[in-house]
Amino acid sequence: MTDNPFTGHTAVVTGAASGIGAALANELAARGMSLVLADIDQVGVRRVAAALGTDQVRALGVGVDVSDPDSVAALADIAYTEFGSVELLCNNAGVLLFGSVSESSLGDWRWLSSVNVEGTLNCLHTFLPRMRRATGWRHVMNTSSTHAFLPDTANSALYSATKHAVLALTLGLRGELAADGIGVTLLCPGQAATRILDSQRNRPQTFGRRASEPFGTGPIPMAIEPRAVAHAAVEGILRDSPLVFALPEETRENFRAQVEQMWQLADNALGDSAETPITIGG
């Protein structure tokens, strides 16, 4: 692989109207990659694309609802018609809300899942067949979260569950696509300075009433900048890293301790099982 496989190739980035998606678009454009940017906020994503397009780098913004397979299929048709190929697929679109499991509505879960999990699957099922038929450098990056590794998901269990799902999908996919020469990376941001607390601004009415927003809808305090997340993500793609964490430096040790707590839960349970043999048939 060359030092810069991006030049002259095309990336599709979902959730690209703002935040990490827009920062990924900037980082990839700076490395010579043409872009198909997708977001449910079609005005915002077209604005980002217009700001990035140059004589050397084409950037196209497309209004897309990743939870709708037909909308994703239309995105793929546009990408291949306009650019001929897609070498990098960044499944970055995601939404967040807080609330307990018992008090959250089924609509809350269905909305989170439709974007975070089904949206990722819709893009994979639509783009991968064409990417697998191609040759040369190709890569997939899925955005999960540090929440996929937390032992205590109070007030964020539904969101964390969707990010656990993306973790499992991505690790499985990495093994599946190795034979095709397609790299797969999981991006796990921590607190990032995005509008994710205001995710419900784009929540369709079909999922019912809006959930309460106990932490407001403003910027996340003590957060890493999206451009730093994007830089870490792209460097991870270059290394073909299976997993990339991007979080504020001052929170890294606390997160490491939380991950250790998660594994301690499993270690304790394995120890309990060893001390209590299971007898089959009474």
Side-chain angles (χ1 to χ4, degrees), residues 240-280:
D240 189 25
S241 298
L243 180 62
V244 174
F245 288 112
L247 62 162
E249 191 62 38
E250 60 270 24
T251 68
R252 293 183 73 87
E253 286 308 311
N254 182 57
F255 176 62
R256 184 187 296 272
Q258 290 173 319
V259 173
E260 290 175 352
Q261 290 173 33
M262 172 71 88
W263 295 119
Q264 190 64 53
L265 288 172
D267 190 58
N268 290 344
L270 288 168
D272 291 343
S273 297
E275 295 171 6
T276 311
I278 298 175
T279 301
I280 305 298

Side-chain angles (χ1 to χ4, degrees), residues 184-200:
V184 179
T185 295
L186 183 74
L187 174 64
C188 292
Q191 305 98 294
T194 70
R195 298 180 64 192
I196 197 165
L197 289 180
D198 193 24
S199 291
Q200 290 189 99

